Structures are given as structure tokens and as C-alpha cells.
Amino acid sequence: MPESLDILSLVVFLPLFGVLVLGFINKDDHGTLKIVALVTSLITFFLSLLIYFGFDANAAGKLIPGYQFVNQSSWIPALNVRYVVGVDGISLYLLLMTTFLLPVCILGTWNHIKDKLKLYLQMLLLVTVGISGVFVALDMILFFFFWEVMLIPMYFLIGIWGSKNRIYATYKFVIYTMAGSALMLAAMIYLYLQSGHLGHYSNYTFVLPDLIDYFEQFPLSPEIQAILFWGFAIAFAIKVPLFPFHTWLPDAHTEAPTAGSIILAGVLLKMGTYGFIRFCLPLFPDASHQFAGVIAVLAVIGIIYGALVAAVQPDLKRLVAYSSVAHLGFVMLGLFAFNQQGVDGAVLQMVNHGLSTGALFLLVGILYDRRHTRMISDFGGLARTMPVYFVIFLIMMLSSIGLPGLNGFVGEFLILLGAFKVSPLMGGLATTGVILAAVYMLWMFRRVFYGEVDKPENKNVPDLRPVELCALVPIVLICFWIGLYATPFLNHIGSGTAPIIERLNSSAYSVKHAVIEGSANLEKDEHPLKTAKVILPEEDWNE
Amino acid sequence: MSSLISIQPLPVDLHVMSPAIWIAAGIIFTMFLLFGARGKLAVLLPISTLVFLAGAFFASTSLWNGGKSSFGGTFVADNAALFANFIFILCAAITVIAITARYCPFSKSSPDGEGTMESPEVFPLLLTVALGAMIMAASRNLIVTFLGIETLSIPLYVLAGINLESERSKEASLKYFLSGAFASGFLAYGISLVYGAVGKLDYAAIKMIAFAISSDYTLYAGLALIAVGFGFKVALVPFHAWAPDVYQGSPALITGFMASIVKAAAFIAMLRFFGEAVAPLYEIWWLPIAVLAVLTQTFGNILALNQTSLKRLLAYSSIAHAGYLTIAILIIGGEWSHAINRFRAVFSDAVQSSLFYLAGYAFAVIGVFTIIWWLSGRFKETALLSVDDVQGLGQRHPFAAAMMTVFLLSLAGFPITAGFLGKFYLFTSAIKQGFAILVVISLLNAVLSAYYYLKVVVAMYMRPVSGDQLEQPAPLVNGWIYTVIWITAIGTIWLGVIPGSLLGLIARITIGS
């Protein structure tokens, strides 16, 4: 545990303090409970803003190169497990998203939950501790701790406050995730035991930057890399979820309460993609190259399949859930393009998807709270009865489709650009996903909002309450901000992704292929890998 | 042939024996108290039991790092044995406190209402079990190990049947006795075969001879029979059949005590036997032991999936945990084969990780059985608490439900509990010795096990609750019970979050010469 509490650890553990405070409040005093939870979440968010404004994209990082706000202290010395946290350009935004979505969840579902409210708020705060911990942990076991700890409150959120099929969904969610993480734990332990082999490093270590350094100097054999890569990749692919590991997602998303869906879509899925970029790519660069083609194909299948299935969903929430499968396919495609555009776009798209899909789940939840149905066929003509709701829904939907001027466009455009550079075929197939997204979203939108108000119960649906607007308006503003001026975001993200891309392109696999492809450039003073950067992955995917 | 019938008296160091002597004195003292301590005086029984346990605890601490031995090296007080003593004392002390809650004459809310001390003989019996466990953990001689096992087992047969009103308790007692006698038979026959083969009973002597001889089928047969005997004691599949019935029939507190202390004692004894006596034969035994480990984990977990009775479910879970712990024996084999000087091989990983695992397991399993007993107290204990009975417990009694969740999560191996770090430590040691595939199997088994632990949590919190389930009165509140549950819960979380201090102690523990 941290010896001196720094601001980053404070952001992670502050909600825990909120949980304790909530514990002392009478469980029937709903007003106080909500205010305490909201205040805790807002303080956490403002503290994380301090990290955001204190973050310097050009700083080298003092204690650990590349990371800022680092706190490291010993935790379990006997097992060489350390408490190491820090942020770089990638985790910065994901951490910010996590702390931002917490007050959104509390505000957005202000009056939705009446049963066991105290436990509900405690679980919401706890899940935030787990997820923000995942994004800042730099020790593998600390990461694993947060990764698994997050499961328990999420399990309660889905299982207690979910809808009809919640118990099935919650089992599926937990067992799927655990199955993946079991393999990941074994791979982590294996890596740890490799790290002490040559005696160059005084001791075994679980600290990720040290491990990456170590394996850069003493690379693992390709076979071992392949096994370990999949050990990690399956855990992350389940979380993402990458096709065909996605089947838990529609159930969990649909059955979860609104706040649960927001957290699931907004940040929890990002734990998977984050895991890929934080662990798989830098630790196993050769294996990443080797399997980039497989993952890209699965990602494209996910994009198209998710969109097609979303198009035929009668249930609003299920539709948004399947759209997540498609969007996360884009993220994976961008990551495995291994170029600056693709990877940066993927990280930005993680944030975008969290904002737009999180907001869509909140909007669907608000509608469900008023009408107690999520079936598209039960609605129609809502544009007249709920004009404010209509406008916000429209903006978030367009952001999700990727309309220029909104955030979704920037991310998807960069991803497709990166993918096209590597493989026009994959890029082209993925682009159909953008069109399909417009199809399912607009079709749903027409059925819900346009036409006559033909059902009597839709005539008097109350519009958004001020408290719900408080939750939604900031999201809308950020969507416009990213959509219109993404440069500062991309600068930060680029500072985090650049070392990873460089590492990927300096791997043994790259060098070997670079010699073949770019031998002419080798004589020149130019770094051989710069050439390799563009040529290589193309070859990977066509293999 | 001289070690069996020794002519010269072996040197005796009473200091080494002092923890066991404290316990033995406690047994005699509490037995005499049985005659006099009636009515309000009955409270002297648990108090004196705790005093003698504390004496044994301090005697053990005074020996820490001493590395002394007595009886010519057959009874040792090395750190492994002393740490095991701490676990045994902890198990016994917590159980004593919990039993006092049941029978405490001062407690107005005593479930019996009468306030009479039923079955006061549990206290000397518990102490006798602890004495047997201490002998097992300290023994480096087959006969002494056998003596320890019998000292541990016989009072447990009585304890299993202590609830005279319950047919199931009597059945459990008889079943446990029969299977235990069977196991002892295997052990005794195995010991005699080993003695026949090598002519020695001391572990060190056996090791020296086993190291020298190339192959000896009598020795192998003896080894196999001893392994079967141990297998019965810790309920490894296929020697597990007695466990579910015995766990279910015994009073819940006794079940928790049995699950924790017997497992701890038997695994320490096994580690000593496999490490200090027959490590040179590891090429013979590692494969059968690995098969036993996989079978035990897998069958334990699969059979637990569909259990409806909580005690049976936990019985199968306990079998699965024995399966995980069996990996520690394999780690011994790995450490031996990787040792630079095999004859002087020192085993650290296996014993350290399994001791930590056992300590964490003891907290969780005693905690969970205490809650089960507490909840079924109003059913006069004969009623079986099923998964359906705890439905809605999250609303009826949030404290009990929350604590039960903590213990179940620890058993399932979720982080922030001792269960996770125990598994993590054990599996790290196993991968270090080259058992990566076995660890993957175990990890997948742990995933499987999450299903049935979560089943109980689902019942407590998530199933819709009917009106009459809510109307069931909350379990009686009793300060002693709260003490026990808080101790075990804090222990579980403490070992899971900040285990540094304890691991610092454990890091000094090794066995072997």
C-alpha cells in the first residue's frame, strides 16, 4: 500500500472512503446517501482533473520513464509484489473517463433506484475503485488485484438491481471474466519467473516497465511469446469483447441496471483494449506481429457482425449493446494496425465510445424508467413529447455513428486511416461498418422518435429532469470538444502510444522483415525500422 | 534396527516439547474441571482451555528460530512446526470461543435458553486434537507421525458424534471412525513395509537409504500405502467418500475445526514425509501425486456444483482445496530435483506457500462454518441449512450475509482475501518448479469453483425473497459469535491485503536438512 498518499492513489482510493462514510448513514435516508455519494464522486473527479492539468505530454517521467504521478512502494516484499501506480497518455484519459462517468451515473439515475440504495451506491463507488486501479496499476499483480476486485461489485450491481434474467447474466459475466483471467494470472507468473533468470536484474519483478525493459534486452523465444500472448489476449479479448468471445456482453448489458450498463460500456470494456495496448503489444511484440492478422480479422468480423445483429434487435438496450461489439471491433483494428494513426485513433475511440455509448445507455435507461419498456415497437413520436430528450439523443446517436464534427468521427477516421495503410482490404471491410452503424441507428431513431404518437402511454412521458440534464450536458459538450478540436487529446495520447509503437517496430520480428523489405535503406543512415513501420504490418496481415 | 527398540534413552529436551506439554497439561486440567465445574462455574472450562492454548502459543514463540529438536531428532521444533502450531492454536482458540457462544451460561440469548453447558467434554477433546496435530507437525519419525495421527483422529471421532440428539451426527461419527480406522490400517501397514525395506523409521535415515538404493518394491509399496493413508485423512479423490457425510453430519463448528486443523496437520506431516524421508524417490511418486491432485480438484469442484446443502457444498469445496494443496507436495519434488546438492536439499517454497495457504484457509473455513452454525442454531442444528435457506439473508441479516460473502470469496480465491494470495503463492511456487500445466488446470478449476460459491451469494442477495422468508427472525445476536466472525473476517482480509508481516515470518521457514 502507498507509503505517502499521492494524488493518483488518492483518486483511486477516495471512493473507498466514500463507501465507509456511506456505511455510517441510515439506509433509509436516501437524500443524504445520494448526496454523500455524489460529493465523493465529484471530489474524485476534480482530483483527477488536477492530474489532467498537471500532466505534461513532453515530460520524460522522473521515477519511471514515460509515466507521471508515479508512486512506488513495497507492498508484499516476500513475493516481490510492489505497489506501483502511474499514468501515461493512454491511461490518463481512461482514468478521467472513469472518474467522470461516476458522477454521471449517480446523477443520471438519481431517482431510478429505490431498493437497497445504500448498497447500490457503495457498489458503484467500489467498482470505480477497481476500474481506476486497473488503469493506473503498473505492477502486474496490482493490476490483477484491481481487475478481479472490480468483478465483485459489478456482479452485485447486475445481480441485485438488474432486470429479469439478471442472475444468468451475472453468472455468465463473472465466469467468463474469471476464465480469461485465470490464464492471464498463469502467464503473469511465468513472466515474473522469467525475469530473474539471467541475474541481470537483481530480483524477480512484477513491475511492468521493468519487465518490458528486461524482455527488450533478453527477448523471449517466439514460441513462448505466442503462448503467453494468448494467455493475456484471451483475458483481454473476453473483456473487449472480441468476436467470438462477446456472448456475455449483450446479456450483461441488457440485464444490468442503467448505471451498470454505463460503467460496463463506458470503462469496463476499455479494460480489455487497455490490456492489449499496455501488456500484449509491448511485452510480446513478435507475437503481436505474428497474430495481428488473426486479431484484425476477428475485429472486422466483430464490426460487421455486431452491426448486423444490432440492426435486428427489437430491444433498445440490446441494440446499443451490440453496437458496442462493433465499436470495440474498430478499436481493436486500430490497435493492431501498429501505426501512429491507428493506435492513437483506437485510444481516442475508447474514450469516444465510452462517452457516446455511455450516454446512450443512460438515455435508454431514462426512457425505461419512465415507460418500463425498452422495446422499440412500444415507442413512436417521442420527438413531440420529449423534445429535449430528442435533441440529446440525436447528438449522442450521431456521435456514435461518427458524424464529422462530433467525437466519433475523429477516432473512427484515424483508425480507418491506419488500417488502410496496412491493408486496404481490412480498411475497406471495416468502412462498411460505419455505413451499417448509420443504418441501425437511424432506423431505430425513426421508429422511436418520428411518426405519430400512436400509443396513448407515450403522450405524457415527462421530458428530461434538470438532474438528468446535469449528467448529460457535460457529455454532449465533451463530444463536441473532441470532435472539433482533438489536437490536445491526440498530443497526450501520442506521448503514451509512441514508445509502444516504437517497441513494436524494433522487435526481432520487425527487424528480420525489415532486412528483407527495406534492405536498401539499411545502408543509409536512416533507422531501418522507420521503413519497416509502413511496410511490415501489411505483410503480416496478408500472411 | 536400533531406532525402533532403542536401548539407550534418547536425549529429551523439555523446552522443545513445551508447546505439547502445555496442551497435555490443559487436557488433564480441563478433564478434572469436568467433575467440578457445573452451573456458573462451567465458564472456567473455556477460560482454562484458552489459557493453556495461550501457554502453548508463548512456548512456541519462545522456540522460534531456535531450530532445536528432541528425542534424537524425531521431534523437532523448527519454524515449520512452530508456525503450524500457531495455526493449530488459532483454530482451536477460535472454535473454543464459538462453542462458548453456544453454551455460555451467562449469555441471556443463548440459543438453548437454558444456559446449561451441554457436552462440556468438547474442551479436552479439542485440546487433544490440537496435541495430535502438534505431534504430527513436529515429527520426523514414522511411528511418531502415526502416534500424532491417532491422537488427532480419535477425539475427532467423538467430536463428530457430539450432538447426541442427531442421528446424522452419530452416523457421521461412525463413518468417520470406520474410514479413519481403515486409513490408519493403511498407514500402519505402509509404515511396516517401509521399515521392512529400509530398517529405519527416522526420516533422515530413510532418506539416506532411499538415496542409496536403486529400486526396492517393498519400499515403493510402503510408500504407496502411506500415501493412501494420508489421502484418506485429507480426503483426496478417490479416498474422499467419507468426507461429505461426515462434514454434513457433524455439528457445524466441529466441521469447521475439522476442516481447518486436520488439513493443516496432515499437509505439514505429508510435506515432511515426502520432503525429509522419501524425496529421493520423487521420480516414482510425482506422477501419481499429480494425478491425485488433478482428480481431487476436478471431482471436488464438479461434485460441489449441484449441492444444495451448504455443509455438503463446503465439504466438496474442502476436497477441492485439498487438491490444490497437494500441489505443494509436487513442489517438494521439484525443489528436490532442482537442488544443487540434493542430499542437503532444503525445501522452502512448498512449505512456505502451503503454510500461508493453510492459515488463510483456516480463517475462511472456520468463519463460514461458524456462520452456518449460527444460522442453523435455531433449527436445533439437526436441520440442514440449504442454499435455499439463506435466501434473502442479505435483507434479513446483512452482517451475516456480508461476512459469509467475504469467506466465500476467500475460498473462491478472489483478491483482497487470503484465498487469493494463498493460491497465488502456491501457484507461483509450482510454476517455478516447472508445473505450469498443472497450475493452469488448477486455475481453471478455481474458475469452476467460483460458480458454486457465487451460487450461495446469489441466494443471499439476488433471488427474489418471499414474504415468509423475510418473516423468519434474524439469528440471535451474541457477542461471542461476533467476536469469532470478526476475528476470522479481519484475518481473511488482513492476509489478503497486507500480508507483509506474516510473510516475513513465513519466509524463514524451511524443512529438510
Side-chain angles (χ1 to χ4, degrees):
Chain A
M1 289 287 113
E3 274 156 10
S4 60
L5 210 60
D6 60 320
I7 182 163
L8 191 56
S9 305
L10 201 61
V11 168
V12 174
F13 291 108
L14 194 71
L16 206 57
F17 180 71
V19 172
L20 290 180
V21 174
L22 284 176
F24 291 107
I25 299 173
N26 183 350
K27 68 178 163 43
D28 297 320
D29 190 356
H30 284 193
T32 320
L33 286 171
K34 283 190 269 198
I35 293 202
V36 168
L38 183 67
V39 168
T40 316
S41 67
L42 285 176
I43 297 174
T44 315
F45 177 59
F46 287 124
L47 284 175
S48 68
L49 279 183
L50 288 183
I51 293 179
Y52 175 72
F53 289 116
F55 187 85
D56 178 2
N58 302 315
K62 267 175 270 168
L63 291 165
I64 300 175
Y67 293 92
Q68 295 172 36
F69 296 96
V70 171
N71 181 12
Q72 45 183 347
S73 53
S74 77
W75 175 22
I76 312 176
L79 300 172
N80 290 321
V81 176
R82 291 173 62 75
Y83 176 87
V84 186
V85 292
V87 285
D88 67 353
I90 303 166
S91 42
L92 177 67
Y93 283 105
L94 293 169
L95 176 68
L96 216 55
M97 276 282 296
T98 315
T99 55
F100 171 67
L101 283 181
L102 179 63
V104 167
C105 282
I106 295 173
L107 278 174
T109 59
W110 194 251
N111 290 322
H112 293 193
I113 303 286
K114 306 216 163 48
D115 184 28
K116 300 182 201 159
L117 180 77
K118 179 170 160 181
L119 191 62
Y120 170 80
L121 292 170
Q122 284 177 321
M123 290 300 152
L124 266 186
L125 293 174
L126 272 182
V127 85
T128 315
V129 175
I131 298 174
S132 17
V134 162
F135 291 137
V136 300
L138 293 179
D139 181 282
M140 288 200 297
I141 296 304
L142 187 66
F143 174 89
F144 190 83
F145 241 72
F146 285 123
W147 175 277
E148 291 270 286
V149 158
M150 169 284 306
L151 270 183
I152 301 161
M154 204 63 221
Y155 160 78
F156 279 106
L157 277 177
I158 301 175
I160 299 182
W161 296 278
S163 39
K164 213 171 69 218
N165 256 331
R166 61 184 189 277
I167 291 173
Y168 169 74
T170 196
Y171 273 132
K172 203 167 171 182
F173 169 69
V174 172
I175 300 289
Y176 253 80
T177 313
M178 279 193 78
S181 44
L183 299 174
M184 179 166 75
L185 183 63
M188 280 175 173
I189 297 173
Y190 190 89
L191 274 180
Y192 161 79
L193 291 170
Q194 291 296 310
S195 72
H197 257 190
L198 290 168
H200 172 84
Y201 284 74
S202 56
N203 221 330
Y204 296 118
T205 181
F206 280 113
V207 180
L208 186 66
D210 291 353
L211 283 170
I212 292 173
D213 271 2
Y214 180 85
F215 291 117
E216 202 163 5
Q217 291 177 47
F218 310 102
L220 293 162
S221 74
E223 296 78 27
I224 298 281
Q225 274 200 32
I227 294 171
L228 295 179
F229 174 85
W230 284 109
F232 279 91
I234 288 175
F236 298 141
I238 288 171
K239 261 274 144 60
V240 169
L242 195 63
F243 180 89
F245 303 104
H246 66 282
T247 58
W248 64 269
L249 178 131
D251 289 314
H253 268 88
T254 315
E255 301 303 330
T258 305
S261 306
I262 297 171
I263 290 178
L264 267 173
V267 280
L268 208 136
L269 304 185
K270 310 309 178 302
M271 286 165 52
T273 44
Y274 174 78
F276 270 107
I277 191 165
R278 178 65 76 231
F279 289 86
C280 281
L281 302 190
L283 277 173
F284 318 112
D286 301 333
S288 300
H289 278 290
Q290 194 184 341
F291 299 114
V294 179
I295 295 207
V297 168
L298 291 179
V300 170
I301 294 176
I303 293 172
I304 296 171
Y305 168 85
L308 289 176
V309 178
V312 296
Q313 291 304 318
D315 181 327
L316 270 175
K317 218 171 172 184
R318 258 189 127 74
L319 184 146
V320 184
Y322 273 105
S323 85
S324 283
V325 177
H327 280 123
L328 269 297
F330 275 109
V331 176
M332 290 304 294
L333 186 72
L335 282 185
F336 279 78
F338 299 150
N339 49 34
Q340 196 75 46
Q341 292 88 348
V343 177
D344 289 6
V347 176
L348 187 65
Q349 190 63 10
M350 290 186 208
V351 178
N352 292 339
H353 172 259
L355 292 171
S356 55
T357 309
L360 283 176
F361 272 121
L362 178 53
L363 288 162
V364 173
I366 288 171
L367 198 57
Y368 179 76
D369 187 53
R370 289 167 175 44
R371 290 273 287 102
H372 298 285
T373 174
R374 292 185 306 246
M375 293 298 147
I376 298 174
S377 53
D378 288 343
F379 299 108
L382 285 184
R384 292 178 196 198
T385 45
M386 307 171 79
V388 183
Y389 180 87
F390 163 73
V391 171
I392 293 189
F393 200 106
L394 176 70
I395 297 170
M396 293 329 300
M397 180 197 69
L398 292 176
S399 142
S400 177
I401 296 173
L403 190 82
L406 282 162
N407 56 349
F409 173 74
V410 187
E412 281 186 2
F413 178 74
L414 281 171
I415 289 170
L416 290 174
L417 193 66
F420 263 111
K421 273 190 166 180
V422 177
S423 159
L425 175 68
M426 291 294 172
L429 284 172
T431 314
T432 60
V434 181
I435 301 161
L436 286 170
V439 171
Y440 64 76
M441 278 293 181
L442 291 173
W443 190 34
M444 174 271 287
F445 195 71
R446 186 182 65 75
R447 285 181 290 164
V448 171
F449 287 97
Y450 294 133
E452 292 302 311
V453 187
D454 48 359
K455 296 186 185 60
E457 54 273 24
N458 285 338
K459 285 205 175 101
N460 289 316
V461 187
D463 208 343
L464 289 179
R465 297 190 188 95
V467 70
E468 289 157 347
L469 272 176
C470 287
L472 284 162
V473 169
I475 304 186
V476 172
L477 293 180
I478 298 173
C479 286
F480 275 110
W481 183 12
I482 301 180
L484 296 172
Y485 186 58
T487 321
F489 295 91
L490 288 171
N491 278 345
H492 282 153
I493 291 171
S495 76
T497 55
I500 293 166
I501 295 166
E502 192 185 322
R503 165 103 179 91
L504 274 169
N505 293 331
S506 63
S507 66
Y509 188 93
S510 301
V511 173
K512 191 178 84 191
H513 288 71
V515 173
I516 304 162
E517 301 275 343
S519 50
N521 294 323
L522 272 178
E523 276 87 47
K524 292 179 204 159
D525 210 4
E526 200 182 345
H527 197 276
L529 312 170
K530 286 222 169 113
T531 341
K533 198 191 267 181
V534 187
I535 301 165
L536 269 178
E538 182 176 12
E539 204 229 332
D540 298 349
W541 287 9
N542 294 336
E543 262 175 13
Chain B
M1 301 286 152
S2 61
S3 68
L4 185 61
I5 316 147
S6 183
I7 295 165
Q8 277 125 7
L10 288 163
V12 177
D13 184 342
L14 283 182
H15 190 205
V16 170
M17 310 286 294
S18 56
I21 292 173
W22 269 101
I23 300 288
I27 297 168
I28 296 166
F29 186 81
T30 47
M31 275 217 253
F32 276 108
L33 265 187
L34 291 182
F35 299 112
R38 301 210 178 273
K40 296 217 161 187
L41 278 180
V43 78
L44 283 175
L45 271 167
I47 289 175
S48 55
T49 310
L50 288 175
V51 166
F52 282 102
L53 284 169
F57 176 81
F58 289 114
S60 301
T61 30
S62 76
L63 285 161
W64 186 257
N65 275 343
K68 294 200 212 171
S69 64
S70 185
F71 295 113
T74 55
F75 192 96
V76 291
D78 58 0
N79 286 355
L82 295 173
F83 193 87
N85 283 356
F86 296 150
I87 298 180
F88 305 146
I89 292 167
L90 181 93
C91 294
I94 299 177
T95 311
V96 165
I97 298 173
I99 289 180
T100 313
R102 171 89 157 133
Y103 299 116
C104 180
F106 298 123
S107 168
K108 286 204 182 80
S109 52
S110 166
D112 313 67
E114 301 292 310
T116 51
M117 177 80 77
E118 283 175 42
S119 322
E121 65 272 22
V122 285
F123 297 104
L125 287 171
L126 284 176
L127 284 174
T128 317
V129 175
L131 177 66
M134 285 183 179
I135 296 173
M136 283 168 78
S139 149
R140 294 184 68 185
N141 179 299
L142 278 172
I143 287 294
V144 180
T145 308
F146 187 76
L147 195 73
I149 291 176
E150 290 304 296
T151 315
L152 168 114
S153 302
I154 293 169
L156 276 177
Y157 306 146
V158 184
L159 283 172
I162 200 101
N163 187 352
L164 293 175
E165 290 168 25
S166 156
E167 292 300 318
R168 280 179 186 277
S169 184
K170 289 181 208 159
E171 179 198 333
S173 176
L174 187 64
K175 269 195 179 148
Y176 197 23
F177 171 69
L178 288 177
S179 72
F182 203 51
S184 299
F186 271 104
L187 266 174
Y189 193 43
I191 290 170
S192 68
L193 284 179
V194 170
Y195 183 70
V198 301
K200 297 281 179 192
L201 289 166
D202 267 1
Y203 287 176
I206 294 173
K207 182 156 118 183
M208 211 180 312
I209 295 166
F211 197 62
I213 55 176
S214 53
S215 71
D216 181 335
Y217 289 99
T218 320
L219 180 58
Y220 296 167
L223 172 60
L225 288 177
I226 291 176
V228 170
F230 275 123
F232 267 110
K233 286 289 166 201
V234 296
L236 299 182
V237 174
F239 317 114
H240 67 288
W242 58 273
D245 287 340
V246 172
Y247 275 45
Q248 190 180 25
S250 312
L253 286 178
I254 300 301
T255 314
F257 179 65
M258 201 151 71
S260 53
I261 201 167
V262 175
K263 202 166 269 121
F267 270 102
I268 302 302
M270 275 162 102
L271 288 177
R272 276 205 197 280
F273 174 68
F274 281 96
E276 295 183 333
V278 294
L281 306 176
Y282 90 97
E283 280 173 0
I284 310 289
W285 55 254
W286 82 266
L287 189 61
I289 295 284
V291 171
L292 276 184
V294 171
L295 279 181
T296 308
Q297 292 169 15
T298 315
F299 277 85
N301 281 325
I302 288 176
L303 292 173
L305 290 178
N306 271 333
Q307 298 301 324
T308 49
S309 153
L310 267 182
K311 276 160 114 183
R312 268 189 110 74
L313 187 147
L314 287 164
Y316 283 108
S317 124
S318 150
I319 294 173
H321 279 274
Y324 303 132
L325 276 162
T326 309
I327 295 176
I329 298 169
L330 291 168
I331 299 173
I332 287 269
E335 286 185 88
W336 167 268
S337 61
H338 293 139
I340 297 162
N341 180 350
R342 284 192 177 184
F343 197 66
R344 299 207 154 275
V346 171
F347 308 104
S348 54
D349 285 350
V351 61
Q352 291 170 7
S353 57
S354 51
L355 280 174
F356 185 83
Y357 194 108
L358 287 165
Y361 181 75
F363 278 123
V365 85
I366 293 183
V368 80
F369 276 107
T370 306
I371 293 183
I372 289 179
W373 163 76
W374 180 25
L375 296 179
S376 54
R378 50 184 302 280
F379 300 117
K380 276 239 130 201
E381 181 65 55
T382 42
L384 296 169
L385 202 63
S386 76
V387 177
D388 293 335
D389 288 334
V390 295
Q391 206 150 313
L393 194 68
Q395 273 162 284
R396 282 210 310 272
H397 205 289
F399 174 75
M403 292 299 152
M404 182 99 133
T405 308
V406 169
F407 299 131
L408 291 173
L409 290 178
S410 179
L411 291 174
F414 271 94
I416 79 154
T417 62
F420 169 73
L421 275 187
K423 282 204 177 72
F424 169 66
Y425 200 173
L426 188 70
F427 293 160
T428 306
S429 308
I431 294 183
K432 202 164 158 186
Q433 305 302 340
F435 297 103
I437 292 172
L438 196 65
V439 167
V440 171
I441 295 173
S442 306
L443 281 167
L444 293 177
N445 256 302
V447 176
L448 195 64
S449 76
Y451 173 80
Y452 58 82
Y453 294 120
L454 292 182
K455 188 166 86 173
V456 182
V457 182
V458 162
M460 288 193 297
Y461 284 99
M462 297 170 195
R463 298 245 176 244
V465 189
S466 61
D468 54 315
Q469 271 168 328
L470 271 182
E471 278 163 22
Q472 283 179 7
L476 293 158
V477 176
N478 183 318
W480 295 90
I481 286 287
Y482 274 119
T483 314
V484 170
I485 294 175
W486 274 118
I487 292 174
T488 44
I490 290 173
T492 304
I493 303 279
W494 167 57
L495 292 188
V497 180
I498 35 171
S501 49
L502 190 81
L503 283 169
L505 280 184
I506 287 184
R508 299 202 191 142
I509 296 175
T510 55
I511 59 168
S513 46

